[in-house]
Amino acid sequence: MKTNHLFGILLLLLCTVGLTNCNDHLLNPNAEDSEEEGEEWMNSIPDGNFFGRANTLRLYYIDEKGNSLIHPNDPNTYPVSWSEKLENPIERTKDRQTDVDDTIIRYNGNHNWIYFDKEENLYYCTLSAYGDSRYSTYTFPIYVNGDTDQLEITYKYTDKNVIGGKYYAKISSWKYNGTHIYSDDDEHDKKVFIQKTGGKTTVSFKR
């Protein structure tokens, strides 16, 4: 009888502890997840290096009337981005290749692409996102119609659930001339309109 009584008390204690833990989780279901997330992401990787990664950001360059500043038949209007400063960015358009109707143009070693958006009736540019995993932030230039604009990307890194590599670099903030325009939490094919007029550059999400 004593044995059964002690067993019953022990079982009751275990159930009480279990229910308390469950209640704590129900009241604050993200408590453990937040802690794991903090441990999962890193701001830098000591043994990291330079990299370039894909993204779906669309950059539309327009004038004050909303017309495209990118002209498929004039490489001088092609936006050119690179991981470091270029003395003559137009040289990097010489390898351009186009499809039959000029709606897709790739150049700069396939680091830059130009597409035609039928809905907007505008051309837009895509580009590689550069970074260095030894640091959280990487800055690089993009050259557009004689202007040099600045791109700054801040990353977070993880080695959890990575397919096809050792680390994954997540874009937490991408800035264009100091204005935040994108993160990997945003929708795919995000449109950013960059208006250039009278020496002034304006970044917005509406045409």
Side-chain angles (χ1 to χ4, degrees):
M1 292 293 293
K2 272 187 178 180
T3 303
N4 290 338
H5 182 66
L6 288 173
F7 177 77
I9 293 174
L10 179 61
L11 183 61
L12 179 62
L13 286 172
L14 289 173
C15 289
T16 302
V17 171
L19 287 172
T20 301
N21 288 338
C22 288
N23 286 335
D24 286 345
H25 184 73
L26 289 172
L27 290 171
N28 189 11
N30 295 322
E32 292 183 4
D33 296 340
S34 298
E35 185 177 345
E36 290 175 1
E37 184 177 354
E39 294 175 353
E40 180 180 355
W41 293 101
M42 299 171 282
N43 292 324
S44 61
I45 302 170
D47 62 344
N49 50 37
F50 173 81
F51 65 89
R53 51 148 287 185
N55 62 92
T56 63
L57 183 64
R58 298 180 176 188
L59 301 181
Y60 297 76
Y61 291 92
I62 57 176
D63 62 18
E64 67 278 7
K65 295 181 180 180
N67 298 317
S68 181
L69 291 174
I70 299 174
H71 304 291
N73 296 322
D74 184 2
N76 292 303
T77 67
Y78 294 4
V80 175
S81 58
W82 197 240
S83 57
E84 56 188 7
K85 183 179 178 181
L86 296 173
E87 294 298 329
N88 186 5
I90 300 303
E91 285 185 355
R92 305 199 69 87
T93 66
K94 292 182 177 179
D95 64 345
R96 65 186 180 279
Q97 299 182 36
T98 64
D99 65 3
V100 178
D101 54 1
D102 287 345
T103 58
I104 301 177
I105 305 169
R106 58 187 185 275
Y107 57 100
N108 191 16
N110 288 343
H111 286 250
N112 293 124
W113 293 65
I114 289 173
Y115 298 85
F116 183 70
D117 183 337
K118 292 182 179 179
E119 180 181 347
E120 298 287 348
N121 196 31
L122 289 174
Y123 288 93
Y124 66 88
C125 172
T126 67
L127 61 157
S128 297
Y130 301 120
D132 189 324
S133 51
R134 291 169 294 183
Y135 311 98
S136 61
T137 302
Y138 194 88
T139 303
F140 58 98
I142 185 167
Y143 302 90
V144 187
N145 287 353
D147 290 346
T148 303
D149 294 341
Q150 180 173 281
L151 300 170
E152 179 184 284
I153 305 180
T154 300
Y155 293 94
K156 295 190 298 185
Y157 307 98
T158 184
D159 58 358
K160 306 296 183 183
N161 302 316
V162 179
I163 299 174
K166 189 175 181 181
Y167 298 102
Y168 170 70
K170 178 180 180 178
I171 297 175
S172 58
S173 178
W174 187 332
K175 294 181 180 179
Y176 194 109
N177 285 354
T179 299
H180 174 83
I181 59 171
Y182 176 80
S183 80
D184 278 340
D185 294 323
D186 293 344
E187 70 273 15
H188 287 290
D189 301 324
K190 186 175 183 179
K191 298 180 180 182
V192 180
F193 297 91
I194 302 160
Q195 183 185 95
K196 290 185 172 290
T197 177
K200 182 182 178 180
T201 299
T202 304
V203 179
S204 66
F205 302 106
K206 293 183 179 180
R207 187 174 177 181

